[in-house]
Amino acid sequence: MTAILLFAPRVSCFAAEMGGSEGYFLNLGAGAKALGMGGAFTAVADDASAAYWNPAGLSTLKSFEVSTMHAALFGGARYEYAGLALPVEQFGIWSVSWIQLAPPPVQGTDSLNNSTAEFSVRHDAFFISGAYSLMEGVHAGLSGKYILENIAGSSYSGFTLDAGALYGVANWLAAGVAAKNFFSTQFSDGEKIPARITAGVSVKPLADRILLAGDISILKNSKIYANIGAEGK
């Protein structure tokens, strides 16, 4: 049995901070274990959701893995995530993932504030990720993301990149860093997805019985967030 203890605000604090900016839904997180640890996953990244948190972690996987998640959010919105990772001999680990945020239909109004037909809003992100072990305990990874946003029949799309590194300092200690959206094309509405850098450390003080992890994230607006989480088995 595994118990996940949460000592930090949910990762959705990023979405609150970046709400209204392009691609804000990308800050909602992915994977039950990672979210249960409060998003302190940069130096853990040990399942298929690593493609989202730190793509370098994919190279620690030993077999085919699938990760899925469904969340019913406030106001009737739906949040979906699915990802799979596959080891490819001599070519590292490759992964494909998908994230979707689908708010409920929005009531339209005209210039006189009279009600018109409802319209839909949908945000999708498609990831293609790869990771490779450079040497014993040293891993690097890259995620390419295609973002598609549809609002009332108008579509906006763009491409962005994430890069990550993971270093197993010892059997009980690891460090990781991830640069999110460090390269982003300009969306058709003229916006770019905000960048952020996250660094983290994970510790196993009692072999594999307890996992402690902490992350620090710096957003484009220079605001800093800290996340701390733990897992006990």
Side-chain angles (χ1 to χ4, degrees):
M1 179 179 292
T2 298
I4 297 175
L5 307 177
L6 175 61
F7 297 106
R10 287 179 59 93
V11 179
S12 56
C13 67
F14 285 125
E17 175 65 31
M18 305 302 287
S21 63
E22 203 71 65
Y24 73 94
F25 73 104
L26 294 173
N27 297 307
L28 290 173
K33 176 180 177 178
L35 288 174
M37 294 183 67
F41 213 61
T42 303
V44 180
D46 59 358
D47 59 26
S49 72
Y52 173 92
W53 300 100
N54 182 356
L58 290 169
S59 65
T60 65
L61 303 183
K62 305 301 182 184
S63 60
F64 174 79
E65 188 167 322
V66 175
S67 177
T68 63
M69 186 184 80
H70 165 78
L73 304 181
F74 179 79
R78 292 182 298 102
Y79 183 64
E80 315 287 351
Y81 157 75
L84 62 86
L86 177 67
V88 180
E89 189 174 354
Q90 298 181 349
F91 293 98
I93 309 291
W94 290 87
S95 170
V96 292
S97 310
W98 165 70
I99 287 174
Q100 182 185 85
L101 174 63
V106 179
Q107 179 65 58
T109 58
D110 60 20
S111 58
L112 298 177
N113 205 34
N114 296 314
S115 296
T116 60
E118 292 184 339
F119 63 89
S120 62
V121 178
R122 194 176 71 182
H123 311 273
D124 291 276
F126 304 91
F127 295 57
I128 296 180
S129 310
Y132 196 80
S133 293
L134 303 178
M135 61 180 70
E136 183 66 27
V138 180
H139 314 280
L142 189 70
S143 286
K145 301 183 292 189
Y146 176 71
I147 294 91
L148 178 63
E149 301 189 320
N150 189 295
I151 303 174
S154 297
S155 295
Y156 308 93
S157 62
F159 178 80
T160 185
L161 290 174
D162 295 349
L166 184 63
Y167 177 40
V169 181
N171 291 336
W172 56 274
L173 176 64
V177 62
K180 300 289 189 72
N181 311 314
F182 73 91
F183 170 82
S184 176
T185 61
Q186 193 172 62
F187 274 56
S188 49
D189 61 356
E191 297 290 331
K192 286 188 176 183
I193 295 182
R196 111 171 164 251
I197 296 177
T198 302
V201 174
S202 65
V203 180
K204 297 178 179 179
L206 297 175
D208 288 329
R209 296 182 61 185
I210 296 179
L211 171 63
L212 306 175
D215 279 6
I216 293 180
S217 297
I218 303 175
L219 279 64
K220 185 179 179 181
N221 58 11
S222 298
K223 290 195 174 183
I224 298 175
Y225 288 92
N227 297 75
I228 303 173
E231 179 189 40
K233 296 183 180 181

